[in-house]
């Protein structure tokens, strides 16, 4: 056995050498090594200039230590000159411990070589041929040679660690052939990435795995790519071609996933590769790809706004509001609201056609989509009261759903509409709160704790705004033992607001039980809530007297925080009910002796000043505090002591005069509190300069009378604040109890802008024509323009230009549009007029959607081709700029001009939706001419088109 003594020398090993201690010494000497070491560097340190033979190692790797241990077992024998046969079982065990695969030439160390016959050579280190004592001899390269024991390649190729193991597995050919095994390995990579382990070194291997038909593997590789794209932008660019190719895959799921990954790279250099796949995705026949493309527009907007504006995606998004898939529409609403949040409208532009169209399809949306649509209602101004009530009736079924977000959004919409319709907005708001009460109470009782807390905060806001509505549901706000602390606290704060003469005794009894709770904060809130019922005088006759007696009993409890809160509450009760002085006064001197909390002590001192005329011990109780003035640390106690002593002076002057002088002397010299110092100086100057003491008494002692049912103290009157919070209902402002300007920076605030402003809230207001939601695609000359889907068929043909999306009916009610004038012959179009595509698009974009005329009408027959429609319209000189047939529609871009000098130009977009919702949509914008007659002449052009297409209608 090759052994080393403690002094660093070498020599023969004694048969009595303790090999276990020797191995422990080697282990101790290597504790300073890191867990993953570079074996090639370790082995280099084992050599010196003496023909490369090993020297004594100062630091030794774990693998080398295993070699030394194995050689001890093989060589330390009482028969040093006798060779030992290799042990197959031990070789197998050692092979497993080394983590090498048997039979591999490069990574496998021949165990027979390791266990070759050992010859004991006395004499120390450096025997024959420079071999160390006990080392086998032989020429280099042979089993007995010095180089055969530890090959260099073993150390240089041995790399440990989870990431390296995963790299080897990903490169393994067998893994490549087994999709299931490959999926498990990639899952492990994603798991490491989720835990925060840096696996970016596997970027190349993961990118090689992207070429697969396995959808699960693609999802995980895309996730890996998006996560590390910002840290490895040059490697992420290498996958651009693959992602673009996947965007054209036959599988819509692959197309959508590839587009999402391409847009999620968030690299400025990738913008040029995003816009074209994004535009193709918006007209894809599969809804998943379209909705992914809509969200990709938002990512492009945040990545490069110049490119976003150049692509004119806003008009495309408005056009896609008529998509047949509700998820695509809801995504469009979300994206438009975020893109235009900082604009003058505070979100997407609204008009009557858009609002009614979305509300008519609300039953098609998911829970998130329903919320997105309902959130638009507070920003919409109904044309008249009847339309406002019809919107309420349309949203009323949402209150019966289990979606709490949709219910609260509906409540906000109702409150907003209540402020705009009806003769009495206050009474209308109370009716709205009464309607939504049952839904809110049900959701509070059935939701999780976090959801219940949020709903309770909204209930609290509604109770403040409309008191008395929730009074009959007070039992639903009783505290339950299993509820979290924050919900218990909030319920205790709501209960006193629900009190009335009928339920006040039950509520007070419930709050009395909460006083004994083990939670100190709960005790304080319960006592405070009881006093609030008495102060508001909402409990009926005798309620305040009963509550005052309960609070007086609490002064004698051996619970410091309950006593302190009871004293503070009694001070408030006495402000509202001075007649209860006889009940409150007797225990005050005793309570002052045992009160420990500063707030409670200040309240008791204040009560002694108010009740000093009937409490005989009052001056003497205060005198003890004055004598120990220097020991009082809390400024509130000193201020209460000064105020009470002044009040008591005018009630019992002989007993208080001297101690008042001592107190004023100390208080005027006290600089610990500016308020205390200034108040003491004011009292001193009043007493020293006033000629009539009665005037000073009126200034100091007279208290205002606070009376009336439900009247709050002046410091609690915050009606303006409550109204401002109600304006921001269903936002974080409701949870925080403060308006958004207090916790959101001005640059991120979104204004609430109600629109449209064109129609007033007049019962007799005529309904507006639908301005339309469509924009012209940027590439007019292409035959395959935006993939716009059919909207719901109207309940009746809207011949008046009014889109009857909600089925209101055009023949009755206040929303009946005037009958359109028949087509007259006073307008004719110029057959020789021509316009280029660029001019057409420029003129179309120059006219706002709100100035357009939009008409929807039903068709009886579907035209076989676009040529049939074009030829029919050309007879009336309505010419075609571009047309195309899509899977769900026929689309036409038409134009014409009046046959007179400086005649008006008509720009027409017509869409024929195919079966089953066979209908025709016409949108007309005008340019030039007499704009005062724009609506009249546009209606005449519509009548001309009806005449030309009469065979289809």
């Amino acid at each position: 056995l090759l052994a080393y003594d403690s002094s660093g020398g070498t020599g023969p090993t004694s048969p009595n050498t303790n090999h276990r201690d020797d191995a422990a010494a080697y282990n101790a000497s290597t504790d300073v090594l890191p867990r993953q070491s570079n074996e090639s560097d370790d082995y280099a340190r084992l050599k010196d200039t003496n023909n490369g033979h090993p020297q004594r190692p100062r630091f030794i790797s774990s693998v080398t230590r295993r070699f030394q241990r194995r050689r001890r077992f093989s060589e330390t024998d009482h028969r040093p000159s006798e060779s030992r046969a290799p042990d197959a079982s031990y070789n197998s065990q050692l092979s497993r411990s080394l983590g090498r695969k048997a039979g591999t030439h490069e990574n496998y160390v021949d165990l027979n070589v390791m266990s070759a016959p050992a010859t004991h050579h006395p004499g120390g280190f450096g025997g024959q041929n420079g071999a160390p004592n006990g080392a086998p001899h032989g020429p280099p390269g042979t089993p007995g040679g010095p180089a055969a024991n530890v090959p260099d390649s073993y150390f240089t190729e041995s790399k440990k660690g989870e990431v390296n193991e995963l790299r080897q597995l990903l490169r393994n050919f067998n893994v490549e052939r087994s999709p299931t095994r490959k999926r498990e390995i990639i899952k492990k990579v994603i798991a490491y990435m989720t835990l925060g382990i840096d696996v970016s070194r596997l970027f190349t291997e993961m990118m090689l795995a992207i070429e697969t038909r396995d959808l699960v593997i693609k999802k995980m590789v895309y996730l890996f790519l998006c996560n590390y794209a910002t840290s490895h932008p040059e490697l992420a660019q290498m996958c651009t071609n693959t992602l673009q190719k996947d965007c054209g895959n036959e599988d819509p799921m692959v197309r959508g996933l590839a587009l999402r990954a391409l847009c999620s790279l968030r690299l400025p250099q990738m913008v040029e590769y995003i816009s074209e796949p994004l535009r193709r995705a918006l007209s894809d026949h599969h809804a998943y790809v379209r909705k992914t493309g809509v969200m990709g527009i938002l990512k492009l907007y945040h990545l490069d706004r110049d490119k976003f504006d150049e692509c004119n995606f806003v008009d495309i998004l408005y056009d896609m509001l008529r998509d047949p898939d509700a998820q695509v529409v809801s995504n469009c609403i979300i994206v438009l609201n975020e893109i235009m949040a900082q604009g003058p409208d505070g979100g997407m532009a609204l008009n009557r056609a858009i609002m009614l169209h979305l509300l008519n399809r609300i039953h098609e949306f998911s829970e998130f989509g329903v919320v997105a649509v309902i959130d638009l209602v507070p920003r919409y101004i109904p044309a008249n009261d009847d339309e406002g009530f019809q919107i309420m009736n349309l949203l009323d079924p949402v209150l019966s759903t289990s979606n709490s977000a949709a219910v609260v959004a509906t409540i906000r919409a109702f409150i907003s509409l209540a402020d705009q319709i009806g003769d009495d907005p206050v009474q209308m708001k109370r009716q709205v709160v009464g309607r939504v009460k049952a839904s809110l109470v049900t959701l509070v009782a059935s939701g999780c704790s976090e959801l219940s807390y949020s709903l309770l905060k909204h209930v609290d806001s509604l109770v403040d705004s409309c008191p008395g509505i929730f009074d009959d549901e007070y039992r639903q706000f009783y505290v339950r033992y299993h509820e979290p602390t924050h919900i218990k606290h909030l319920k205790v704060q709501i209960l006193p607001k629900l009190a009335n003469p009928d339920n006040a005794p039950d509520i007070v009894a419930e709050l009395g039980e909460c006083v004994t709770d083990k939670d100190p904060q709960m005790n304080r809130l319960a006592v405070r809530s009881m006093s609030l019922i008495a102060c508001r005088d909402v409990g009926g006759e005798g309620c305040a007297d009963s509550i005052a007696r309960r609070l007086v009993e609490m002064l004698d409890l051996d619970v410091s925080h309950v006593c302190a809160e009871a004293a503070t509450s009694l001070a408030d009760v006495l402000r509202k009910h001075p007649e209860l002085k006889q009940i409150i006064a007797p225990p005050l001197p005793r309570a002052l002796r045992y009160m420990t909390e500063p707030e409670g002590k200040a309240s008791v001192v204040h009560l002694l000043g108010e009740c000093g005329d009937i409490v005989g011990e009052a001056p003497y109780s205060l005198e003890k505090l004055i004598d120990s003035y220097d020991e009082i640390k809390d400024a509130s106690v000193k201020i209460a002591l000064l105020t009470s002593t002044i009040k008591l002076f005018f009630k019992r002057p002989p007993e208080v005069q001297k101690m008042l002088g001592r107190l004023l002397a100390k208080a005027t010299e006290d600089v610990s509190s500016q308020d205390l110092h200034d108040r003491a100086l004011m009292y001193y100057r009043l007493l020293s300069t006033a000629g009539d003491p009665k005037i000073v008494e009126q200034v100091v002692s007279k208290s205002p009378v606070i009376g009336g049912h439900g009247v709050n103290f002046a410091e609690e009157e915050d009606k303006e604040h409550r109204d401002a919070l109600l304006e921001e209902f269903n936002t974080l402002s409701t949870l925080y109890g403060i308006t958004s300007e207090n916790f959101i920076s001005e640059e991120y605030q979104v204004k609430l802008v109600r629109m449209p402003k064109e129609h007033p809230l007049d019962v007799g207001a005529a309904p507006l024509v639908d301005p339309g939601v469509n924009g012209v695609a940027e590439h007019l000359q292409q035959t395959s323009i935006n993939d716009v889907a059919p909207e719901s068929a109207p309940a009746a043909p809207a011949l008046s230009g009014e889109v009857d999306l909600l089925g209101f009916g055009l023949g009755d009610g206040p929303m009946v549009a005037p009958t359109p004038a028949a087509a007259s012959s006073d307008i004719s179009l110029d057959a020789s007029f021509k316009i280029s595509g660029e001019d057409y698009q420029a003129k179309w974009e120059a006219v706002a959607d709100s100035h357009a005329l939009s008409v929807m009408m039903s068709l009886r027959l579907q035209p076989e081709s676009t040529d049939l429609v074009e030829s029919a319209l050309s007879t009336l000189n309505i010419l075609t700029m571009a047309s195309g047939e899509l899977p769900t529609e026929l689309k036409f871009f038409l134009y014409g001009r009046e046959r007179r000098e400086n005649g008006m130009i008509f720009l027409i977009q017509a869409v024929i939706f195919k079966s089953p919702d066979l209908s025709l949509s016409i949108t007309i914008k005008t340019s030039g001419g007499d704009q005062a007659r724009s609506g009249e002449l546009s209606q005449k052009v519509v009548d001309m088109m009806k005449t030309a297409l009469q065979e289809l209608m």
Side-chain angles (χ1 to χ4, degrees), residues 419-433:
D419 290 334
Q420 304 176 57
I421 60 177
D423 298 331
D424 188 356
V426 176
Q427 186 61 29
M428 177 63 65
K429 190 179 297 183
R430 292 184 64 85
Q431 292 180 12
V432 166
V433 175

PDB file of all heavy atoms in Angstrom, residues 419-433:
ATOM      1  N   ASP A 419     -77.537  56.775 -12.627  1.00  0.00           N
ATOM      2  CA  ASP A 419     -77.221  58.201 -12.549  1.00  0.00           C
ATOM      3  C   ASP A 419     -77.633  58.956 -13.803  1.00  0.00           C
ATOM      4  O   ASP A 419     -77.648  60.198 -13.800  1.00  0.00           O
ATOM      5  CB  ASP A 419     -75.718  58.399 -12.320  1.00  0.00           C
ATOM      6  CG  ASP A 419     -75.300  57.976 -10.932  1.00  0.00           C
ATOM      7  OD1 ASP A 419     -76.152  58.003 -10.023  1.00  0.00           O
ATOM      8  OD2 ASP A 419     -74.118  57.605 -10.753  1.00  0.00           O
ATOM      9  N   GLN A 420     -77.948  58.236 -14.888  1.00  0.00           N
ATOM     10  CA  GLN A 420     -78.199  58.892 -16.170  1.00  0.00           C
ATOM     11  C   GLN A 420     -79.640  58.783 -16.634  1.00  0.00           C
ATOM     12  O   GLN A 420     -80.016  59.427 -17.611  1.00  0.00           O
ATOM     13  CB  GLN A 420     -77.286  58.284 -17.250  1.00  0.00           C
ATOM     14  CG  GLN A 420     -75.809  58.345 -16.913  1.00  0.00           C
ATOM     15  CD  GLN A 420     -74.959  57.649 -17.950  1.00  0.00           C
ATOM     16  OE1 GLN A 420     -75.010  57.977 -19.119  1.00  0.00           O
ATOM     17  NE2 GLN A 420     -74.168  56.678 -17.523  1.00  0.00           N
ATOM     18  N   ILE A 421     -80.431  57.957 -15.983  1.00  0.00           N
ATOM     19  CA  ILE A 421     -81.815  57.783 -16.412  1.00  0.00           C
ATOM     20  C   ILE A 421     -82.736  58.024 -15.225  1.00  0.00           C
ATOM     21  O   ILE A 421     -82.321  57.963 -14.067  1.00  0.00           O
ATOM     22  CB  ILE A 421     -82.052  56.371 -16.994  1.00  0.00           C
ATOM     23  CG1 ILE A 421     -81.755  55.293 -15.945  1.00  0.00           C
ATOM     24  CG2 ILE A 421     -81.205  56.143 -18.228  1.00  0.00           C
ATOM     25  CD1 ILE A 421     -82.040  53.891 -16.427  1.00  0.00           C
ATOM     26  N   GLY A 422     -83.964  58.271 -15.517  1.00  0.00           N
ATOM     27  CA  GLY A 422     -84.944  58.489 -14.466  1.00  0.00           C
ATOM     28  C   GLY A 422     -84.930  59.918 -13.949  1.00  0.00           C
ATOM     29  O   GLY A 422     -83.980  60.678 -14.130  1.00  0.00           O
ATOM     30  N   ASP A 423     -86.028  60.269 -13.255  1.00  0.00           N
ATOM     31  CA  ASP A 423     -86.167  61.614 -12.715  1.00  0.00           C
ATOM     32  C   ASP A 423     -85.474  61.760 -11.368  1.00  0.00           C
ATOM     33  O   ASP A 423     -85.081  62.870 -10.990  1.00  0.00           O
ATOM     34  CB  ASP A 423     -87.658  61.959 -12.563  1.00  0.00           C
ATOM     35  CG  ASP A 423     -88.384  61.958 -13.901  1.00  0.00           C
ATOM     36  OD1 ASP A 423     -87.712  62.252 -14.917  1.00  0.00           O
ATOM     37  OD2 ASP A 423     -89.588  61.662 -13.931  1.00  0.00           O
ATOM     38  N   ASP A 424     -85.360  60.668 -10.613  1.00  0.00           N
ATOM     39  CA  ASP A 424     -84.753  60.721  -9.277  1.00  0.00           C
ATOM     40  C   ASP A 424     -83.590  59.727  -9.231  1.00  0.00           C
ATOM     41  O   ASP A 424     -83.795  58.546  -8.972  1.00  0.00           O
ATOM     42  CB  ASP A 424     -85.797  60.370  -8.222  1.00  0.00           C
ATOM     43  CG  ASP A 424     -85.276  60.586  -6.805  1.00  0.00           C
ATOM     44  OD1 ASP A 424     -84.087  60.942  -6.651  1.00  0.00           O
ATOM     45  OD2 ASP A 424     -86.057  60.386  -5.849  1.00  0.00           O
ATOM     46  N   PRO A 425     -82.363  60.173  -9.499  1.00  0.00           N
ATOM     47  CA  PRO A 425     -81.218  59.235  -9.498  1.00  0.00           C
ATOM     48  C   PRO A 425     -80.995  58.549  -8.159  1.00  0.00           C
ATOM     49  O   PRO A 425     -80.588  57.381  -8.134  1.00  0.00           O
ATOM     50  CB  PRO A 425     -80.037  60.141  -9.872  1.00  0.00           C
ATOM     51  CG  PRO A 425     -80.640  61.317 -10.563  1.00  0.00           C
ATOM     52  CD  PRO A 425     -81.962  61.526  -9.906  1.00  0.00           C
ATOM     53  N   VAL A 426     -81.271  59.236  -7.052  1.00  0.00           N
ATOM     54  CA  VAL A 426     -81.060  58.631  -5.734  1.00  0.00           C
ATOM     55  C   VAL A 426     -82.004  57.453  -5.531  1.00  0.00           C
ATOM     56  O   VAL A 426     -81.598  56.372  -5.092  1.00  0.00           O
ATOM     57  CB  VAL A 426     -81.240  59.686  -4.626  1.00  0.00           C
ATOM     58  CG1 VAL A 426     -81.117  59.034  -3.255  1.00  0.00           C
ATOM     59  CG2 VAL A 426     -80.211  60.795  -4.778  1.00  0.00           C
ATOM     60  N   GLN A 427     -83.283  57.658  -5.850  1.00  0.00           N
ATOM     61  CA  GLN A 427     -84.237  56.580  -5.703  1.00  0.00           C
ATOM     62  C   GLN A 427     -83.951  55.451  -6.681  1.00  0.00           C
ATOM     63  O   GLN A 427     -84.095  54.263  -6.344  1.00  0.00           O
ATOM     64  CB  GLN A 427     -85.657  57.120  -5.921  1.00  0.00           C
ATOM     65  CG  GLN A 427     -86.758  56.110  -5.647  1.00  0.00           C
ATOM     66  CD  GLN A 427     -86.758  55.620  -4.210  1.00  0.00           C
ATOM     67  OE1 GLN A 427     -86.355  56.343  -3.303  1.00  0.00           O
ATOM     68  NE2 GLN A 427     -87.205  54.389  -4.012  1.00  0.00           N
ATOM     69  N   MET A 428     -83.522  55.789  -7.888  1.00  0.00           N
ATOM     70  CA  MET A 428     -83.170  54.764  -8.859  1.00  0.00           C
ATOM     71  C   MET A 428     -81.988  53.933  -8.364  1.00  0.00           C
ATOM     72  O   MET A 428     -81.965  52.704  -8.506  1.00  0.00           O
ATOM     73  CB  MET A 428     -82.830  55.423 -10.197  1.00  0.00           C
ATOM     74  CG  MET A 428     -82.372  54.448 -11.279  1.00  0.00           C
ATOM     75  SD  MET A 428     -83.635  53.265 -11.746  1.00  0.00           S
ATOM     76  CE  MET A 428     -84.844  54.369 -12.461  1.00  0.00           C
ATOM     77  N   LYS A 429     -81.024  54.582  -7.747  1.00  0.00           N
ATOM     78  CA  LYS A 429     -79.864  53.862  -7.230  1.00  0.00           C
ATOM     79  C   LYS A 429     -80.274  52.913  -6.098  1.00  0.00           C
ATOM     80  O   LYS A 429     -79.764  51.790  -6.002  1.00  0.00           O
ATOM     81  CB  LYS A 429     -78.819  54.858  -6.746  1.00  0.00           C
ATOM     82  CG  LYS A 429     -77.477  54.248  -6.396  1.00  0.00           C
ATOM     83  CD  LYS A 429     -76.485  55.288  -5.949  1.00  0.00           C
ATOM     84  CE  LYS A 429     -76.200  56.264  -7.073  1.00  0.00           C
ATOM     85  NZ  LYS A 429     -75.167  57.255  -6.683  1.00  0.00           N
ATOM     86  N   ARG A 430     -81.194  53.343  -5.250  1.00  0.00           N
ATOM     87  CA  ARG A 430     -81.662  52.460  -4.171  1.00  0.00           C
ATOM     88  C   ARG A 430     -82.384  51.244  -4.743  1.00  0.00           C
ATOM     89  O   ARG A 430     -82.263  50.132  -4.225  1.00  0.00           O
ATOM     90  CB  ARG A 430     -82.577  53.234  -3.225  1.00  0.00           C
ATOM     91  CG  ARG A 430     -81.854  54.308  -2.409  1.00  0.00           C
ATOM     92  CD  ARG A 430     -82.812  54.971  -1.418  1.00  0.00           C
ATOM     93  NE  ARG A 430     -83.287  54.021  -0.433  1.00  0.00           N
ATOM     94  CZ  ARG A 430     -82.645  53.709   0.689  1.00  0.00           C
ATOM     95  NH1 ARG A 430     -81.470  54.279   0.968  1.00  0.00           N
ATOM     96  NH2 ARG A 430     -83.150  52.836   1.538  1.00  0.00           N
ATOM     97  N   GLN A 431     -83.137  51.437  -5.815  1.00  0.00           N
ATOM     98  CA  GLN A 431     -83.795  50.291  -6.443  1.00  0.00           C
ATOM     99  C   GLN A 431     -82.770  49.325  -7.035  1.00  0.00           C
ATOM    100  O   GLN A 431     -82.942  48.095  -6.949  1.00  0.00           O
ATOM    101  CB  GLN A 431     -84.749  50.792  -7.526  1.00  0.00           C
ATOM    102  CG  GLN A 431     -85.941  51.559  -7.004  1.00  0.00           C
ATOM    103  CD  GLN A 431     -86.855  52.025  -8.117  1.00  0.00           C
ATOM    104  OE1 GLN A 431     -86.714  51.597  -9.268  1.00  0.00           O
ATOM    105  NE2 GLN A 431     -87.789  52.913  -7.788  1.00  0.00           N
ATOM    106  N   VAL A 432     -81.716  49.877  -7.612  1.00  0.00           N
ATOM    107  CA  VAL A 432     -80.664  49.021  -8.184  1.00  0.00           C
ATOM    108  C   VAL A 432     -79.993  48.212  -7.084  1.00  0.00           C
ATOM    109  O   VAL A 432     -79.778  46.987  -7.227  1.00  0.00           O
ATOM    110  CB  VAL A 432     -79.645  49.892  -8.940  1.00  0.00           C
ATOM    111  CG1 VAL A 432     -78.381  49.088  -9.235  1.00  0.00           C
ATOM    112  CG2 VAL A 432     -80.246  50.419 -10.230  1.00  0.00           C
ATOM    113  N   VAL A 433     -79.645  48.855  -5.968  1.00  0.00           N
ATOM    114  CA  VAL A 433     -78.984  48.136  -4.873  1.00  0.00           C
ATOM    115  C   VAL A 433     -79.913  47.070  -4.297  1.00  0.00           C
ATOM    116  O   VAL A 433     -79.477  45.964  -3.954  1.00  0.00           O
ATOM    117  CB  VAL A 433     -78.534  49.128  -3.788  1.00  0.00           C
ATOM    118  CG1 VAL A 433     -77.956  48.394  -2.589  1.00  0.00           C
ATOM    119  CG2 VAL A 433     -77.498  50.094  -4.348  1.00  0.00           C
TER     120      VAL A 433
END
